[in-house]
Amino acid sequence: MTTTGRRKATAVTAALTLLLGLIAFIAPAQTASAADASDFNAGNIISDEQFFDGAAMSAQDIQNFLVAQVPVCRSSYACLSTYSQNTPTIAGTAGRCDTYVGQANESAASIIARVGMACGISQKALLVLLEKEQSLVTSSTPGQGRFESATGMGCPDTAPCDPGYGGFMYQVYYAAKQFKIYSANPTYFNHIAGRVNNIRFSPDASCGSSPVLIVNQATAGLYNYTPYQPNAAALNNLYGTGDGCSAYGNRNFWRIYSDWFGSPTVGSALVRTEANPSVFLVSGSVKYPISNMGLIASYSALGQVGFVSQGYLDKYPTKQPANRIVRSDAGAIFFVDSGMKLPIPSCGLVVDYGGSCSPGGYTQLTDAQVSSFVSGPGVTPVMGTTAGGRYYITVGSKREILDARSQSEAGIPAPMNVLSENAVADLSVGSPIFRDSAYVSQRGAADYFLLAGGRKTYISAGSETVVGIPGRSAGSLSSSSLSRIPSAGAAFSGVVRAPGNTTNSVLSTIGRLDVPGGTPVSALPYTSVTDEFLQSYPRAVELKQGSFFKGTNSSSVYMLDASSMRPVGSWEALVSLSPGGNPSITSMAPPFMSTMSTGPAVLRVASLARTASNGTIYIIDGISKKVALDSFDPASEAGVSGFSYVTDAQLAAYADQGTVRLGYELVCGAVTYVAGGGELHALDANTAPLYPLPSTSLDSLTCSALSVGKPATSFIRTPDGSIYVLQGGKKLPIASLSRYNELGGATVGYTSVSARLAALIPSGPRA
């Protein structure tokens, strides 16, 4: 009987959140057995999976079942096994029932089957409802009245039945639809799944109530249809009557379903109690504990996790914890993952995958349970995962493989299955398998490593672009696998050396910088790599004294000298240090920069400098030398003026040329110049003997920083306007312009020099 079949109950708010929402599969058939009152759970009368299974039975299944219950009908009207009627067409309602197309002389079995299919309500549940309300399934002498109110739909406890729902077909159809209305609007009715509800024991309010946690929608629907729970007296006499406060409707639904179709709450082999989250796999006469969600997902072919009583669980002896190795009754052994079974061809592979061929090393399933899994390919020693991992499975451990080449070089067979990451979650992690000299990323993170010589070297942030990652990465490894590779210690500096090489190379954005001996880089610690790895970087310029570089995480530029890297303090200094004034700067890995010792800042070439503690002024000659000045005049004549104060360390970084002083005759490679008028004037074989001056050799960088004027001639002019002709190592004064012209001065011109330079050339008679 129902008290809510034709009127809405009080609206309340809440919704059921189903626990362990795994992928649903068709559950193995349940075996009928006599109901045991200790298994009854007021909050879980029937599972949603079983109650809302609209394909539970066909019309023929139902007819066979009805005939088995009543082999001989003795009613003058009809029994359920012999009943038929003309059924109407009823338009469907979205979210409730599909359209029901009427038929002439349709049997009760067909009506029950097609209503269940149209409304998504189990035909088993409808049969139990018919028995619970009017005993129509088992009665051999029912009258017409029982058919008119077959499911109690529209028949409240306190009033006559609503004639609008009268008749067998309407009773079955609208009862099924009512349960879908409960499901579609769960908060509109008094009993709500997912919360504690106070449920009465009887229509008599004085009999009281008790709080019940309703765990699913099907159970909530039964209470909305018949709003009473059995009291202890009703349960103590499961097949009889209790006391004056006993109600039997929902007790009888649970009991009848159990007697006919097996446990109404066990929709799969995976079960738990409400009080304890531990999940068990029930197989045959035993149960196996399941230790984690990954295993539950692997056994998803056996159905969703269902709720059962503690008494139900206690009936099954507990075996060892379930694993992924299962055995059928026929003796076949499989590996299971995500509802799929993979045959294992040998006991050796069974051991590799963490089990054994003895009873304690596998989970025994029934043949019916094994058949629920989708068949997959045979197990191989190598398994890939959907998360990108590749593993060599051996003796209960997983050894991650970096890539196909690493697998081939290790001699591991190539065939591989791809399963979920959970498939290998229970195996211990072994040392990974990787080839020598390969970049690798940490899966799920932004970190990179160089694997070389059996060790891992961390690639610090900012270095990956310098050494060409991620384009050169061979693949990824998990953090667990990487943790089993010994660390080389310091982060990767980019300094490497291949077997047989006697010098280092530095990897950079432009390729491979080979390092000649005699520089600090040649003495730096290096990572040993294969020659193949080294040659994969194109050879670029040498990293030698005078090279410029910077770290990727800094804008500061440094110059390499004989003992350190020295910061370049200004753009002018950088240009002066660069041949042709066009600096080439190479980006280096930050650890390379931190490995190098830092010297004092380099100074602008061809600049004048002194310290506060020493009055000697020097001209900065190239990248490593300094030349003292006895006076400013030679520098001024060469076009260098002014000076800067620098630190003692900065000046000390340049080698002093001892007694050498800056003179007026400057040697730049194969060319000798005389300094005059702020420029350099080249001397040739004819003019060089005319200038008997001490010479100073300068670095090519210094020379390139000075301005070069017209070549020197045999005539000089001093600032006071005096003009001399140079002959035989002496300077001969010229008295007049006409005489200057007679001597050819107008043709070749003169070279302007300082009075100090002119004074260094002996004077001769007037020309």
Side-chain angles (χ1 to χ4, degrees), residues 24 376 532 656 722 742:
E532 177 189 2
D656 194 338
S722 299
E742 286 177 9

Side-chain angles (χ1 to χ4, degrees), residues 55-267:
M57 297 178 76
S58 67
Q60 188 59 56
D61 292 336
I62 296 169
Q63 183 62 30
N64 293 341
F65 181 81
L66 294 176
V67 170
Q69 300 301 313
V70 181
V72 178
C73 180
R74 296 184 176 84
S75 172
S76 59
Y77 178 72
C79 294
L80 205 55
S81 59
T82 62
Y83 177 84
S84 64
Q85 71 170 92
N86 295 330
T87 53
T89 294
I90 303 176
T93 304
R96 275 65 167 179
C97 299
D98 296 335
T99 297
Y100 187 96
V101 180
Q103 295 181 359
N105 197 33
E106 187 172 8
S107 70
S110 177
I111 293 170
I112 295 167
R114 293 207 300 132
V115 166
M117 183 66 72
C119 297
I121 300 297
S122 167
Q123 292 81 6
K124 295 177 182 179
L126 292 175
L127 287 169
V128 172
L129 186 64
L130 290 167
E131 180 68 13
K132 163 214 167 188
E133 293 290 341
Q134 295 293 346
S135 300
L136 269 178
V137 176
T138 58
S139 176
S140 61
T141 59
Q144 182 178 356
R146 292 195 187 186
F147 285 88
E148 290 296 319
S149 57
T151 62
M153 180 62 195
C155 297
D157 294 332
T158 57
C161 294
D162 186 340
Y165 296 103
F168 180 76
M169 189 274 172
Y170 287 133
Q171 281 284 295
V172 176
Y173 179 86
Y174 284 111
K177 184 176 181 180
Q178 187 62 41
F179 282 106
K180 293 305 290 288
I181 291 172
Y182 296 148
S183 178
N185 304 280
T187 61
Y188 285 14
F189 301 93
N190 283 333
H191 302 90
I192 301 172
R195 65 163 54 174
V196 174
N197 300 253
N198 283 316
I199 301 178
R200 292 167 59 179
F201 291 110
S202 167
D204 184 350
S206 66
C207 290
S209 64
S210 71
V212 174
L213 171 62
I214 298 177
V215 301
N216 57 38
Q217 182 55 45
T219 300
L222 289 176
Y223 280 121
N224 286 322
Y225 201 85
T226 305
Y228 311 113
Q229 62 169 312
N231 63 4
L235 291 174
N236 288 338
N237 191 8
L238 193 60
Y239 289 86
T241 58
D243 57 21
C245 283
S246 294
Y248 308 101
N250 286 314
R251 181 204 72 170
N252 289 347
F253 183 96
W254 177 85
R255 186 202 70 203
I256 295 166
Y257 195 105
S258 298
D259 288 346
W260 287 353
F261 306 115
S263 171
T265 57
V266 184

Side-chain angles (χ1 to χ4, degrees), residues 381-515:
V382 180
M383 180 189 293
T385 70
T386 53
R390 179 195 299 242
Y391 299 92
Y392 176 47
I393 310 300
T394 176
V395 197
S397 71
K398 56 185 177 186
R399 298 184 62 192
E400 192 166 6
I401 304 171
L402 174 59
D403 60 0
R405 179 176 168 183
S406 299
Q407 180 175 337
S408 175
E409 290 183 2
I412 299 171
M416 177 177 71
N417 295 318
V418 178
L419 301 175
S420 73
E421 193 72 19
N422 278 331
V424 294
D426 298 329
L427 298 176
S428 61
V429 179
S431 298
I433 297 166
F434 55 91
R435 53 191 171 92
D436 194 11
S437 300
Y439 293 120
V440 60
S441 64
Q442 179 176 320
R443 192 174 308 120
D447 294 330
Y448 290 95
F449 298 85
L450 171 62
L451 306 183
R455 304 171 75 85
K456 67 174 183 285
T457 304
Y458 178 63
I459 311 290
S460 60
S463 299
E464 65 273 12
T465 55
V466 173
V467 297
I469 297 174
R472 294 173 177 268
S473 178
S476 63
L477 293 175
S478 68
S479 59
S480 297
S481 293
L482 284 168
S483 69
R484 282 157 176 77
I485 303 175
S487 176
F492 185 52
S493 66
V495 182
V496 297
R497 186 182 293 187
N501 287 11
T502 58
T503 58
N504 292 342
S505 295
V506 181
L507 307 181
S508 74
T509 52
I510 62 174
R512 182 182 86 245
L513 307 180
D514 290 336
V515 181

